[in-house]
Amino acid sequence: MSDAGRRDPREIEERIGYAFRERSLLLRALTRLAYTLEAGLPPDAHMDALATLGDAVINVAVVEAVVATGAHDKGAITNRKMNLVNMSRLRSLAEDLDLADHVRWGKGEAAQRVWTSGRVLAECLEALIGAVYLDGGMEAAAGVLRRLGLTEKA
């Protein structure tokens, strides 16, 4: 998607039920490395680190939610976590948010519509959760995941 075609990031805030105090985190979570390189942005302006952080935050929030339901067996907790957190599920949540319409894609990514296959949208959702975590902490990130429906059925 071109910059001109992108939607207002505030729509994402409305959909996830979280308003960023530090809006630059939201913009970073919506910026791909390819876009950063093409636009000459600083090396830390893209989502990659946030996606790594968001992956860990999602895992913690889901395990916490599973344990809160009374689960105590390590194998059962792990199985429930794997059923709740997988690429397909995260990608589906990203699609429900129309996240691809908000991401700043590199020109080649946009031409190839990379968000239509593989793990790309799941990583974008992870970056968004990583940004929420940095902005508002674990409680804010867990709240977003509940509102998205990821942990409500843990």
Side-chain angles (χ1 to χ4, degrees):
M1 308 243 141
S2 69
D3 266 359
R6 284 186 316 111
R7 290 159 49 182
D8 188 334
R10 287 177 291 201
E11 289 180 29
I12 291 292
E13 290 178 311
E14 290 170 19
R15 287 180 175 220
I16 66 173
Y18 181 79
F20 280 83
R21 290 180 297 220
E22 184 61 48
R23 297 205 43 89
S24 64
L25 283 169
L26 175 58
L27 187 59
R28 181 177 167 199
L30 298 173
T31 304
R32 299 279 294 171
L33 174 59
Y35 180 93
T36 301
L37 295 172
E38 290 169 8
L41 297 175
D44 63 349
H46 61 87
M47 67 172 58
D48 289 5
L50 293 177
T52 302
L53 176 61
D55 177 52
V57 169
I58 290 167
N59 283 320
V60 168
V62 168
V63 169
E64 192 174 74
V66 169
V67 169
T69 67
H72 58 275
D73 177 72
K74 182 179 177 182
I77 292 168
T78 300
N79 285 338
R80 283 171 68 187
K81 179 185 81 76
M82 288 176 18
N83 288 333
L84 289 167
V85 182
N86 58 58
M87 185 207 49
S88 297
R89 184 82 191 279
L90 296 179
R91 182 176 166 191
S92 176
L93 293 174
E95 288 169 347
D96 291 347
L97 290 172
D98 295 322
L99 200 52
D101 293 343
H102 297 277
V103 172
R104 297 193 298 179
W105 303 100
K107 290 180 182 110
E109 292 176 321
Q112 294 174 12
R113 298 177 51 86
V114 296
W115 56 90
T116 61
S117 65
R119 179 166 170 74
V120 175
L121 270 183
E123 290 172 352
C124 293
L125 182 70
E126 290 168 345
L128 181 61
I129 296 303
V132 170
Y133 173 80
L134 287 180
D135 193 66
M138 192 65 197
E139 190 174 322
V144 167
L145 292 169
R146 266 192 311 279
R147 284 187 287 282
L148 293 178
L150 187 66
T151 58
E152 71 182 357
K153 298 175 185 107

